[in-house]
Amino acid sequence: MRCLSISILVPTSTMMILSAMTSTVRAFVPRSKQLRPVAQNILGGIQNNNNNKRLRLSSSSQEQQEWTTDKVRSTFIEFFEGQEHTMQPSSACAPLNDPTLLFTNAGMNQFKPIFLGQVDPNSPLATLKRAVNSQKCIRAGGKHNDLEDVGRDTYHHTFFEMLGSWSFGDYFKEEAIDYAWTLLTEVYKLDPERIYASYFEGDDNVPKDTEARDFWLKYLPPDRVIGCVAEDNFWEMGDIGPCGPCSEVHYDRIGGRDASALVNADDPDVMEIWNIVFIQYNKDEKGLSSLPQKHIDTGMGLERVVSILQNRSSNYDIDVFIPIFEEMAKYSKVGSYEGKLGEEDSTLKDTAYRVIADHIRTLSFAIADGAVPSNEGRGYVLRRILRRATRYGQQILQAEPGFFQKLIPVVVKTFGEAYPELVKNQATITEIIAEEETAFSTMLDRGIKFFGDLEEEMKSEGKKEVSGETAFYLYDTLGFPVDLTELMAEEAGLTLDTKGFANEMETQKTRSRAARAAAKSGGSPQLEFIAEQTAALTDNNVFPTDDSFKYKWDVELPATIMSIFGPDGFYKDGESAKAGDFVGLVLDKSNYYPEAGGQEADIGTIRLLDADDKVTGTFEVRDVQSYGGFSLHKGIVEDGSFTNGAHVNCRVDYERRRLVTPNHSMTHVLNAALRQVLGDNVDQRGSLCNDEKLRFDFTNKKAMTADQLRKTEEICQQVVKDSLPVTATTMPLAEAQAIEGVRAVFGEVYPDPVRVIQVGDDCSIEFCGGTHMSNTAEAEAIVLVEETAVAKGIRRITAVTRDAAREAIEEGNRFEKMVVDLENLEVKTDGLDKKAGAMRNEVDAAFISVTLKADLRGRIEGVQKKANEIKKAALAQRTAISNDVRSLVLNVDIGADSKASQQVLNAVKKIAPDMAFMGISEEERGSGGKIMAFALVPESLVDCGLKADEWVRETLEVCGGRGGGKPGSAQGQAPTCSDVDAVMTASKSFAELKVSVEA
């Protein structure tokens, strides 16, 4: 724990001189980003003489208790509730229902539909005028990424809480500034003399925000109301979308001086604490346009304002970090936290403390909200954060592996009252972090060993620079952060080619971007409504689409085209969409189901009618999306000329919908079945329902067993056989939430009233707006065809119904007969193990029940086991030769079956543990096709120079193959091989050479 510092009283005359000098400097420094460092350096030089005997604002325990983090948070919320703001609970810091966002990085994220004009009219958000909350945020990826700064200073975090207040088309600049001033000076009682406000100074596109400036001048003198450039004081949601100028509140920790030149200059003592954004424009490829409604979006960093109220010079010295540091000190072998920075922290001990304390909060909150470490997206960021913390703990603090998971209880105790999800999910958080920490500790050991070998090799060759390619291998394959590689290189007297590493990273990113672009290429133009479009429709007296007909069946619905939207915007009256045009049609009413809740949108046709109701044109509907209640029917004009006001006839492809609805209804049944088999901890994490399959993601800590899958499938199949009714009831949200056992998707926002789907009397009851069958018998059959991992703790089941299910059942029967025929073959049948291996490959790829697949695999392995016993006996005879034989190369007839190769190696270990062995096998003997090589070398011969990985590479080089592994065991393949004898000869020669050299 950091010691309290002593306050040094600086004479008033000295402070006056310093203030005058800083004012003089400020007068000659333009407010530009380029010249701010100059001002900072000059002011830094003026103040350096006092920094060692710093006016470091000491804190007493009484001050800490007065403004605890919990009290600061609750005071903020209570203040705005008193100003008629609605308390809107924090959304998850990992937005599972928004794949476009890695993490919730600002309080406004959950209100995006309001800003974008896409909110469902029936959603509770639609009536929200004022809101307040404390939002759990993570900034560790994407546009807002503070990861690399964490630990190096006193105020950056990957996880933090954002105190926020909002006005949605209600009050604007004056009230927002009034509220901010009142809260800061009258409630929190911050010193008004230390407060600075910034406003947007204007540019070629947007005028100076004189309104905000003038409102601040009611409270502050002109020299503390500062105009700043767009980089600091113009806020944008993204490259396009709602945006506007902002006004920041900065606070000078030191006081008694003119610190205006340090505003927005990254000085830790002149810190931005609150940002008030005036959302008044929309930005698109054409530029800026005024929004129909103006909004307020504010955000204040909780940790920052707490550090000020507790008179702490560091965010990491506030009350919520102290218990974490005290717990960490129990596992540190290099001492407790001292709060040192920069050169003072030469061992990086205190940097490590800050990193670990920050990262354990991030991971605990993210996992509690349903995110898990994985190899992609937000999961990869979490894995990187965990590995970074683990490395700092083990390398810098010299903590034992497993220390990180031991910090979870103190995090839960500190934050659990405000965020009960931490308490509820503590066991899951611990299990996931423990597993990840254990896995990386092993990787850490491997990486250190790899680097040790590399260092020895480089020094023997006189090399001084670790290549970027090698660093990238450590990073990409072994999970080693590049900063660890650089540190190890420095300790070894080597350098790292950071530019080469960056090039390798960029190459990987380029490949990834190219893959994504290729996946998207060939598609149709992207058509989407945001606030500007939905507002324009409203201004033109176009009402939201009446889509209540989407639950009707086999109806052709007459409708009127209210608006046509194309890549260049809305079509004007008199303009028409003609054959070949890809556009979106907004109708007054529609029977099309727009994509929602995991269910794909309806497709079909919209027919153009003349005054006599004759068809004069057709429009192919390829997709339907709903934006703010407006259904946008996207597709292509096949023939005719479509104009605003035209009469049309909507024809949904109901035959396709009849394939979709059983899949959707059966996800509800599957959800219930999984809870019955696995327990009540199962939660839905996503779904996909289309005309081909259903896909259901759910929480489960490990792969389901064959028995669990069988029980789940049997429950679902029985529900189909029982012909249970499926009913839909619309009711008030509060009433629906009170239904015992009702299920809702984690993180989903539901409309009010909400639609409730019930299957049978007690099978399933869920909130859902999708289309459903009326009876489970309509599914005809259901087969679970796959169970796999999505991420840590998240599993996915894929299933099929109706025709696809019957096809899977028939295919399963065919394979079962084939396995019976295999089992009836004589054990001594020539090539039996090879036939069994080929059949297992066919079963693996077969479209059959996952439970049947597991059963057939087991039976095939039984056949292989019997056949391998014969091989083992033959192998034993061939190895029972002279003790002088140190190595053996055999052509083993097992095809390209890697599992069978492992069985052969296991047999060799038992029969001849001191002999080096290589097996070579063709996929099909004499075909010239794929060939496989696998090797086993005892430690005694590895020490002599015969290494399995080198042996495999040399062997396969003859036919252009590749391989790898460890010195003790390795394997590899070549796609083609026309001369197996040459491969055998090369293998024997290499082994004999190594053994003879040793002899």
Side-chain angles (χ1 to χ4, degrees):
M1 182 175 175
R2 193 170 179 179
C3 299
L4 296 178
S5 57
I6 301 173
S7 294
I8 305 296
L9 295 177
V10 179
T12 304
S13 59
T14 305
M15 294 304 301
M16 291 175 64
I17 294 170
L18 286 173
S19 179
M21 292 178 71
T22 54
S23 296
T24 302
V25 171
R26 177 178 175 267
F28 289 96
V29 178
R31 301 214 59 77
S32 68
K33 202 73 172 177
Q34 291 79 10
L35 293 181
R36 277 185 209 146
V38 177
Q40 190 173 355
N41 289 338
I42 295 173
L43 289 171
I46 292 171
Q47 294 157 2
N48 268 345
N49 289 333
N50 289 306
N51 279 350
N52 293 331
K53 48 188 180 181
R54 189 72 171 273
L55 289 168
R56 195 184 286 260
L57 298 171
S58 300
S59 170
S60 67
S61 59
Q62 182 179 355
E63 286 170 322
Q64 274 200 314
Q65 290 169 3
E66 181 181 352
W67 282 114
T68 64
T69 298
D70 286 341
K71 183 177 178 180
V72 175
R73 184 194 300 114
S74 62
T75 298
F76 181 90
I77 293 169
E78 289 166 5
F79 172 81
F80 278 100
E81 284 181 324
Q83 311 303 327
E84 300 178 343
H85 288 62
T86 301
M87 168 56 184
Q88 189 76 10
S90 171
S91 62
C93 56
L96 304 182
N97 59 346
D98 186 353
T100 67
L101 195 63
L102 277 178
F103 298 102
T104 300
N105 55 30
M108 58 76 58
N109 288 159
Q110 68 171 307
F111 303 115
K112 273 199 325 183
I114 300 178
F115 296 131
L116 292 171
Q118 298 175 345
V119 66
D120 187 327
N122 293 319
S123 167
L125 292 180
T127 58
L128 202 59
K129 290 298 182 183
R130 301 182 178 198
V132 60
N133 76 2
S134 183
Q135 173 65 51
K136 301 174 290 184
C137 296
I138 294 177
R139 290 187 176 176
K143 180 180 178 182
H144 299 288
N145 184 4
D146 293 337
L147 180 58
E148 299 304 330
D149 293 320
V150 170
R152 297 179 181 179
D153 58 33
T154 63
Y155 54 91
H156 275 102
H157 306 280
T158 54
F159 173 86
F160 64 97
E161 291 185 61
M162 183 74 85
L163 300 171
S165 59
W166 293 269
S167 166
F168 307 111
D170 192 2
Y171 64 83
F172 203 44
K173 294 182 183 179
E174 184 172 17
E175 294 91 335
I177 290 171
D178 288 345
Y179 291 150
W181 182 260
T182 301
L183 176 64
L184 292 174
T185 61
E186 296 182 21
V187 180
Y188 288 144
K189 300 188 183 304
L190 294 183
D191 183 357
E193 298 301 317
R194 300 186 190 188
I195 294 176
Y196 296 77
S198 65
Y199 66 93
F200 180 49
E201 68 179 15
D203 57 19
D204 294 338
N205 300 312
V206 180
K208 179 186 294 187
D209 190 3
T210 56
E211 285 182 309
R213 179 200 63 191
D214 293 345
F215 292 139
W216 277 118
L217 288 175
K218 293 193 305 183
Y219 304 111
L220 295 169
D223 61 339
R224 286 195 277 131
V225 181
I226 303 162
C228 293
V229 296
E231 182 179 350
D232 294 316
N233 277 74
F234 192 89
W235 181 91
E236 297 175 289
M237 185 182 292
D239 294 334
I240 60 173
C243 56
C246 62
S247 184
E248 298 173 339
V249 180
H250 297 256
Y251 193 80
D252 180 15
R253 291 181 185 273
I254 304 299
R257 61 177 181 169
D258 178 3
S260 55
L262 298 179
V263 169
N264 276 330
D266 293 327
D267 187 297
D269 290 322
V270 182
M271 186 168 58
E272 176 200 339
I273 57 173
W274 204 347
N275 190 13
I276 306 171
V277 180
F278 312 121
I279 301 178
Q280 60 189 93
Y281 299 107
N282 184 65
K283 182 181 179 183
D284 59 22
E285 61 278 358
K286 299 174 185 176
L288 292 175
S289 58
S290 293
L291 283 172
Q293 283 191 314
K294 294 176 171 57
H295 310 288
I296 291 292
D297 168 21
T298 86
M300 178 159 61
L302 175 62
E303 291 82 0
R304 292 188 179 190
V305 73
V306 169
S307 72
I308 291 171
L309 290 169
Q310 292 183 3
N311 266 347
R312 293 297 196 179
S313 60
S314 164
N315 287 8
Y316 288 91
D317 289 344
I318 66 176
D319 59 332
V320 291
F321 281 103
I322 290 172
I324 300 176
F325 286 158
E326 290 175 345
E327 185 68 18
M328 288 168 59
K330 297 178 183 178
Y331 311 109
S332 168
K333 294 179 182 177
V334 295
S336 57
Y337 182 63
E338 297 177 283
K340 294 179 180 178
L341 289 166
E343 293 181 359
E344 290 184 4
D345 186 27
S346 58
T347 65
L348 299 179
K349 179 192 71 174
D350 293 330
T351 297
Y353 266 93
R354 288 187 289 270
V355 167
I356 295 166
D358 171 87
H359 289 5
I360 191 62
R361 291 205 311 166
T362 301
L363 286 155
S364 296
F365 275 93
I367 294 171
D369 280 347
V372 288
S374 66
N375 285 328
E376 59 184 14
R378 66 172 64 99
Y380 181 71
V381 176
L382 292 179
R383 179 165 283 167
R384 183 183 174 202
I385 289 172
L386 188 146
R387 291 176 175 181
R388 194 168 184 261
T390 300
R391 190 272 289 191
Y392 269 107
Q394 293 184 211
Q395 291 284 305
I396 307 300
L397 301 186
Q398 297 177 25
E400 295 294 331
F403 81 95
F404 195 54
Q405 61 190 279
K406 296 176 183 177
L407 304 178
I408 296 168
V410 71
V411 174
V412 174
K413 182 179 179 181
T414 303
F415 296 96
E417 184 175 348
Y419 297 103
E421 62 269 26
L422 290 170
V423 179
K424 177 184 176 183
N425 295 296
Q426 181 173 348
T428 299
I429 297 167
T430 302
E431 182 175 344
I432 290 174
I433 288 181
E435 185 177 339
E436 286 284 325
E437 188 178 6
T438 300
F440 182 60
S441 294
T442 303
M443 292 181 185
L444 197 61
D445 293 338
R446 285 173 53 199
I448 292 171
K449 184 177 185 305
F450 176 91
F451 197 91
D453 294 341
L454 176 68
E455 178 187 349
E456 184 178 336
E457 180 182 327
M458 289 180 65
K459 288 184 175 179
S460 68
E461 297 175 358
K463 295 180 179 178
K464 292 291 184 181
E465 184 178 66
V466 178
S467 71
E469 184 179 1
T470 300
F472 185 75
Y473 171 80
L474 276 162
Y475 167 80
D476 195 46
T477 305
L478 299 184
F480 245 44
V482 69
D483 52 350
L484 174 57
T485 303
E486 190 169 18
L487 177 63
M488 294 174 67
E490 183 180 341
E491 292 172 348
L494 305 170
T495 60
L496 174 66
D497 178 12
T498 54
K499 185 176 180 181
F501 174 82
N503 290 339
E504 291 288 333
M505 282 289 290
E506 185 57 34
T507 299
Q508 185 192 54
K509 289 178 182 177
T510 301
R511 285 196 297 265
S512 178
R513 284 194 292 265
R516 287 196 298 268
K520 293 180 179 179
S521 66
S524 304
Q526 296 297 308
L527 302 178
E528 180 186 32
F529 284 170
I530 56 174
E532 182 181 13
Q533 286 75 45
T534 55
L537 290 170
T538 302
D539 290 345
N540 287 311
N541 296 317
V542 177
F543 294 98
T545 308
D546 177 4
D547 67 351
S548 59
F549 305 92
K550 65 189 177 187
Y551 300 122
K552 302 291 184 183
W553 285 88
D554 301 319
V555 297
E556 291 191 12
L557 184 70
T560 301
I561 298 177
M562 305 306 296
S563 188
I564 301 175
F565 184 66
D568 297 323
F570 288 108
Y571 280 55
K572 298 177 182 177
D573 289 342
E575 295 180 338
S576 60
K578 299 179 180 178
D581 289 349
F582 188 92
V583 296
L585 303 182
V586 177
L587 310 177
D588 63 337
K589 52 185 177 291
S590 173
N591 54 349
Y592 281 84
Y593 179 83
E595 180 182 354
Q599 179 177 330
E600 289 188 358
D602 282 335
I603 61 174
T605 58
I606 293 176
R607 301 191 299 172
L608 183 65
L609 305 176
D610 63 12
D612 297 323
D613 286 340
K614 291 183 179 179
V615 177
T616 60
T618 55
F619 177 84
E620 179 190 352
V621 179
R622 296 181 177 179
D623 185 27
V624 185
Q625 299 288 331
S626 180
Y627 304 106
F630 295 97
S631 291
L632 187 63
H633 304 74
K634 306 177 187 181
I636 192 165
V637 178
E638 295 184 319
D639 57 77
S641 181
F642 287 71
T643 59
N644 291 333
H647 296 289
V648 295
N649 187 285
C650 300
R651 305 185 73 178
V652 172
D653 183 349
Y654 287 109
E655 289 309 308
R656 176 181 177 274
R657 188 195 280 186
R658 282 188 170 86
L659 298 175
V660 177
T661 52
N663 287 336
H664 196 158
S665 297
M666 292 309 292
T667 62
H668 291 217
V669 174
L670 177 58
N671 190 0
L674 287 169
R675 291 172 64 79
Q676 186 175 333
V677 173
L678 300 177
D680 290 339
N681 289 328
V682 170
D683 275 319
Q684 183 175 345
R685 283 292 184 268
S687 65
L688 171 70
C689 311
N690 59 24
D691 55 330
E692 296 178 349
K693 62 180 180 295
L694 66 93
R695 198 176 70 198
F696 188 79
D697 297 348
F698 59 99
T699 56
N700 200 43
K701 295 174 182 177
K702 54 188 176 182
M704 293 178 67
T705 65
D707 186 53
Q708 289 172 334
L709 284 166
R710 183 175 294 104
K711 288 179 181 177
T712 302
E713 188 175 56
E714 287 172 352
I715 291 170
C716 293
Q717 290 171 341
Q718 189 61 49
V719 169
V720 174
K721 292 177 183 177
D722 288 344
S723 302
L724 301 180
V726 180
T727 59
T729 307
T730 300
M731 63 180 68
L733 182 59
E735 182 181 331
Q737 289 171 332
I739 297 174
E740 184 178 357
V742 71
R743 302 296 299 164
V745 178
F746 181 85
E748 190 70 57
V749 177
Y750 290 95
D752 188 7
V754 68
R755 196 160 174 263
V756 180
I757 302 298
Q758 183 166 351
V759 181
D761 291 331
D762 56 3
C763 175
S764 166
I765 184 165
E766 293 189 31
F767 295 167
C768 182
T771 61
H772 290 272
M773 54 190 178
S774 60
N775 191 288
T776 57
E778 294 172 34
E780 298 177 6
I782 182 170
V783 173
L784 311 189
V785 294
E786 185 180 42
E787 192 270 354
T788 186
V790 176
K792 185 74 67 178
I794 308 293
R795 307 297 299 181
R796 171 176 292 169
I797 283 180
T798 303
V800 290
T801 62
R802 294 192 57 173
D803 293 347
R806 287 196 296 270
E807 178 187 335
I809 292 170
E810 291 172 4
E811 187 75 347
N813 292 336
R814 185 175 72 85
F815 270 99
E816 192 163 21
K817 183 179 182 305
M818 291 168 59
V819 171
V820 169
D821 292 341
L822 180 72
E823 290 171 324
N824 290 334
L825 290 176
E826 291 287 333
V827 176
K828 294 184 179 181
T829 300
D830 185 39
L832 178 60
D833 55 345
K834 194 171 182 179
K835 291 177 181 177
M839 185 171 293
R840 198 185 71 200
N841 290 338
E842 287 187 56
V843 167
D844 287 344
F847 181 71
I848 61 176
S849 166
V850 67
T851 58
L852 176 60
K853 186 175 290 189
D855 177 61
L856 296 182
R857 281 174 179 156
R859 291 164 62 180
I860 292 171
E861 286 173 5
V863 173
Q864 288 179 305
K865 185 176 181 180
K866 293 178 181 177
N868 283 331
E869 290 298 327
I870 303 296
K871 290 233 176 245
K872 286 179 185 178
L875 185 63
Q877 291 180 344
R878 297 189 64 173
T879 54
I881 52 180
S882 169
N883 290 334
D884 293 335
V885 175
R886 307 291 301 279
S887 63
L888 178 65
V889 179
L890 286 180
N891 189 334
V892 291
D893 189 14
I894 59 171
D897 189 337
S898 58
K899 190 167 184 178
S901 70
Q902 189 58 51
Q903 293 173 341
V904 172
L905 292 179
N906 290 339
V908 171
K909 286 180 185 178
K910 293 179 181 179
I911 297 168
D914 298 323
M915 181 182 71
F917 173 82
M918 175 170 285
I920 295 172
S921 179
E922 299 172 85
E923 187 172 38
E924 294 290 341
R925 185 178 288 274
S927 68
K930 183 188 294 185
I931 188 173
M932 175 176 67
F934 51 97
L936 183 72
V937 179
E939 189 174 345
S940 59
L941 291 183
V942 170
D943 294 339
C944 297
L946 178 57
K947 298 179 180 180
D949 50 347
E950 294 178 358
W951 193 8
V952 168
R953 283 195 292 270
E954 290 289 331
T955 297
L956 293 176
E957 188 176 358
V958 175
C959 55
R962 300 176 62 184
K966 301 176 182 178
S969 63
Q971 60 281 322
Q973 291 183 344
T976 59
C977 180
S978 58
D979 191 349
V980 179
D981 291 338
V983 174
M984 296 277 291
T985 299
S987 179
K988 292 176 181 177
S989 298
F990 182 85
E992 289 169 0
L993 177 64
K994 293 291 183 180
V995 172
S996 63
V997 168
E998 182 272 333

